[in-house]
Amino acid sequence: MEELNSFVVVANRLPVDMTAHPDGTYSITPSPGGLVTGLSPVLEQHRGCWVGWPGTVDVAPDPFRTDTGILLHPVRLTASDFEGFYEGFSNATLWPLFHDLIVPPVYDVDWWHDFREVNLKFAEAVNQVAAENATVWVQDYQLLLVPGILRQMRPDLCIGFFLHIPFPNPELFRQLPWREEIVRGMLGADLIGFHLPQNADNFLSLTRQVAGTAGSHTGQPDELEVEGEAAIREVKAHVITADGRKVGVGAFPISIDTGAVEQASQSSVEALRADLGSPEIVFLGVDRLDYTKGILQRLLAFEELLESGGLDPATTVFLQVATPSRERIEHYRVSRSQVEEAVGRINGRFGRMGHPVVHYLHRSLPKDDLQILYTAADVMLVTPFKDGMNLVAKEYVAAHRSGTGALILSEFAGAADELTEAYLCNPFDLESIKRQMLAAVHDLRHNPDYAAERMRANSEQVLSHDVNVWASSFLTCLEDFK
């Protein structure tokens, strides 16, 4: 008999990577990623269940517990499910739409059918493991329909939904042919959370335009009532749905488990810098290899500074970690090709024998290795064109709580709302990136007290608003909307 749980998290992926071997055995390793970083401590505290896809197609293990006591309930997806639901609708339709059309979204009706069917699979899995009156916390854009499906299946459940990517302007969202169904799915929750007040405001504005009534392409605004918009921060606003339910809407900026962030040992840092050629300044980027992350633009900015003499290739290196991501999708393949071409060109122009100026790693790194990179880097660049939050920025800041280092941050990352003492840049403007790179280096060299003051202010913000604050504020507000 399936074990029932009073607290259930459901996300596209389980917090582990599972590899199926030809002999039928599996190997399981902890998974990287911001969502895992944010939610794992919450599940450990609640001794709850995590429902998600294990990362393999056509096979899935039986439910099992992690070493920390989290019950994992795998959802089995076929190769066709993966292609249509994940690579298709989630990442070639929703992802570009929610990131302001950086590339054009593809609206494919077959992908939409796959998306609906897979969301139903996830909802059915939750139905199997959720105890009566359980709290279910649905995560992110891949599962936008799950709250609505669960509301029909299990009206006893208390359902929260959190979106980890930006929510677009309503005028962009209305491009989506299935906009009413998506809004209905989200409004199945008791509480809908976003990172920023602007995201929540976009959703509230959308509910006036798209009520989600069956068969309506224009929406029925009179069936929804929006209240409290002026005070959006955490839950100060709600939507009254057509069936009379009150759905909370608010902003809950996610953060990191600061207790798990430790400064790397001095010997490890010195060894890394020696491997890099003992430079005076180490620039660092750590990203998924995604076209929204602005990796190419920061490399081009670095190249122009080397060319102009603003930075000296003999004393400066750039270390870029680019974690493989969605490599079967065309725009991702193009992004990788452009980044790697730029790396080769920059090293060809400015590197020396045995001393490249750009060190490029196209693979995932263990958390301990990342911690060494964070601690060793003088300047971190986090320059996405659009990002819901960006926890890498917060991880870097937490690793420099003593005031060392400098953070260059895109003004279009959610983290810019909180890390206000970062060196903010416009990632679409190479001159803006270059100015902030030079400003950060100048302050570290010639005005270290000022640089340290800025970094300590950012660190204090991260340390006082950690992942536990994020989770507890959301779950407390969810209780109010049961």
Side-chain angles (χ1 to χ4, degrees), residues 13-16 30-42 50 391 467:
R13 287 295 301 269
L14 290 174
V16 295
S31 175
L35 186 59
V36 173
T37 301
L39 287 175
S40 292
V42 181
W50 186 313
L391 297 183
V467 69

Side-chain angles (χ1 to χ4, degrees), residues 241-322:
T241 65
D243 60 1
R245 287 190 310 106
K246 182 184 288 188
V247 179
V249 178
F252 305 84
I254 195 172
S255 193
I256 62 173
D257 181 6
T258 55
V261 177
E262 298 180 1
Q263 190 165 24
S265 68
Q266 186 63 29
S267 60
S268 298
V269 170
E270 290 173 355
L272 172 64
R273 293 183 71 102
D275 288 343
L276 296 175
S278 299
E280 291 181 16
I281 294 293
V282 176
F283 289 98
L284 174 65
V286 176
D287 312 82
R288 283 190 308 104
L289 188 46
D290 186 296
Y291 56 79
T292 66
K293 300 300 184 182
I295 300 172
L296 176 62
Q297 282 63 34
R298 74 180 69 134
L299 289 173
L300 295 177
F302 182 60
E303 181 178 25
E304 290 188 7
L305 288 173
L306 295 174
E307 186 175 42
S308 68
L311 293 175
D312 183 353
T315 61
T316 309
V317 299
F318 198 121
L319 174 56
Q320 177 65 55
V321 179

Side-chain angles (χ1 to χ4, degrees), residues 18-32:
M18 190 183 84
T19 304
H21 302 296
D23 62 0
T25 60
Y26 302 99
S27 59
I28 295 174
T29 56
S31 175

Side-chain angles (χ1 to χ4, degrees), residues 164-166 195-196 252-255 382 384 387-391 393-394 409 413-416 418:
H164 292 268
I165 64 174
H195 287 306
L196 303 181
F252 305 84
I254 195 172
S255 193
V382 180
D387 214 336
M389 178 53 66
N390 196 292
L391 297 183
K394 294 190 174 186
L409 181 61
E418 299 181 285

Side-chain angles (χ1 to χ4, degrees), residues 228-251:
E229 295 166 77
I232 301 172
R233 191 70 192 179
E234 298 186 350
V235 165
K236 298 294 184 182
H238 62 262
V239 173
I240 305 298
T241 65
D243 60 1
R245 287 190 310 106
K246 182 184 288 188
V247 179
V249 178

